[in-house]
Amino acid sequence: MTGGAHFEIKDLSVGYGDSLALDRVSLSAKGGGLIGLIGPNGAGKTTLVKAMAGLLPVSHGSIHLDSVPLTSWTQSAKAKKVGYLSQSRTVHWPVTVERLVSLGRIPHRGPWDGVSDCDQDAINRALDFADIDSIRMRAVTTLSGGELARVLLARVLAGEPDAVLADEPVSGLDPGHRLQVLEGLKALAGSGRMVVVVLHDLTLASRFCDRVILLHEGRVEADGTPEAVLVPDALAKVYGIEAVTVSEGPQRAILPWSNI
C-alpha cells in the first residue's frame, strides 16, 4: 500500500423504495485511526458502507473520495483505491483458498496477465494477515463459516486498497481470531490507511476503535471517541438497553445488561 484515502460525505440520503435508510448524513473519514460504525439493526450501517463503496445510488447529497466525486471515479481506479468486505459470505465455486484470495489482485492486472511476483507477495501477506496460510490449498466450499470469513477478508486485503470498508468482519469468528483481525485492521489504520469497520460488539468497539460513529434511524446520533460515544444515555436512546461498564486498568468492557 502506498497512500491513504479521504472520504467527505455531505447531506447524504439513500433510500429503498419510499423509505430512507440514510437521512442527511454528513461526516469526514480518513486514515490514521480505526473507525467503528455501530448502531442497532436497521440503523443504516450497511447502507453507508455500500454507498461509500459506490454500490448504491444516492438520493440526495454527495460523496467525495480524495476531493473527487465518487461518481467520477472509473470502476478500475475505484477498485484499486477502495476495498469492500460484504456481510455476505456465500461462495458457490470449489476454488482453493489461494485462488479466491488472488481475485483481490484483479484490479492491478491486465485482462490477460497472470499472477506476477508482486501479486504473489501481496497474496501471501493477505494469507498471513488472516491466519489462513495453512489452508491455502483447501477448497473454500469445505471451510467453516469463520474460516470463510477470514478468506474473504484476505481477498480484500490482497488488493492493497487505500481504504478498507469492512461490514461485520469479525461476525462468526472465535474470540482469538476476532482479536487478531481487529488488531491487524487497527495496525493498518495506524499506518495511514482509512479503515471503517461495522461492529455490533460494544466492547470490541471500545477496545479497538479510535473513533466511533453511532447511527440511529439513518442519522448520526454521536461521533467521537469511544469514551464520548459509548455512554449510558446514548446506549439507552439508541439500543433501548441499560449497559454495565467494567473497568480493569485502562481497559473497559461494555456489557448490555437489560432492556429498558
Side-chain angles (χ1 to χ4, degrees):
M1 298 184 192
T2 58
H6 179 206
F7 277 92
E8 192 69 39
I9 299 169
K10 294 183 179 179
D11 292 327
L12 180 68
S13 294
V14 178
Y16 297 102
D18 295 329
S19 62
L20 285 179
L22 294 175
D23 186 9
R24 303 279 179 156
V25 168
S26 294
L27 58 89
S28 178
K30 58 183 179 180
L34 185 61
I35 302 171
L37 193 59
I38 67 170
N41 295 333
K45 303 181 298 298
T46 293
T47 299
L48 180 54
V49 292
K50 279 187 173 181
M52 293 172 70
L55 300 176
L56 291 175
V58 172
S59 304
H60 182 272
S62 63
I63 304 175
H64 283 71
L65 173 59
D66 290 348
S67 301
V68 177
L70 189 60
T71 53
S72 296
W73 283 75
T74 66
Q75 189 64 34
S76 175
K78 186 171 61 180
K80 291 179 182 178
K81 190 76 174 178
V82 180
Y84 168 67
L85 177 66
S86 170
Q87 280 188 34
S88 174
R89 295 175 182 172
T90 302
V91 178
H92 298 288
W93 303 279
V95 297
T96 66
V97 166
E98 183 172 2
R99 174 58 179 161
L100 184 60
V101 172
S102 75
L103 297 180
R105 297 300 301 172
I106 287 177
H108 300 271
R109 306 204 310 258
W112 309 112
D113 293 341
V115 176
S116 68
D117 290 342
C118 181
D119 291 329
Q120 191 62 55
D121 288 343
I123 292 165
N124 290 340
R125 285 192 294 271
L127 292 167
D128 288 339
F129 177 97
D131 193 24
I132 54 173
D133 183 70
S134 63
I135 60 171
R136 66 163 65 207
M137 299 312 297
R138 287 262 305 274
V140 294
T141 50
T142 69
L143 302 180
S144 69
E147 289 170 331
L148 182 58
R150 287 182 282 137
V151 170
L152 296 176
L153 175 60
R155 181 179 64 179
V156 171
L157 297 180
E160 299 187 310
D162 293 329
V164 175
L165 308 173
D167 196 353
E168 299 189 39
V170 298
S171 176
L173 300 189
D174 61 66
H177 282 111
R178 284 189 176 201
L179 295 175
Q180 182 183 44
V181 166
L182 285 173
E183 285 167 355
L185 291 175
K186 186 175 179 69
L188 285 179
S191 72
R193 305 305 178 260
M194 199 220 78
V195 184
V196 175
V197 294
V198 175
L199 294 170
H200 280 293
D201 190 309
L202 301 179
T203 293
L204 291 178
S206 177
R207 163 75 171 82
F208 288 100
C209 295
D210 300 286
R211 173 186 174 190
V212 173
I213 300 169
L214 175 60
L215 291 182
H216 179 46
E217 297 180 348
R219 298 182 178 182
V220 176
E221 179 68 28
D223 182 354
T225 65
E227 294 78 13
V229 172
L230 300 175
V231 296
D233 286 349
L235 299 180
K237 177 181 179 180
V238 171
Y239 291 99
I241 62 169
E242 180 180 356
V244 175
T245 300
V246 180
S247 298
E248 180 68 28
Q251 305 298 338
R252 294 195 314 156
I254 301 172
L255 310 175
W257 197 255
S258 63
N259 288 312
I260 295 174

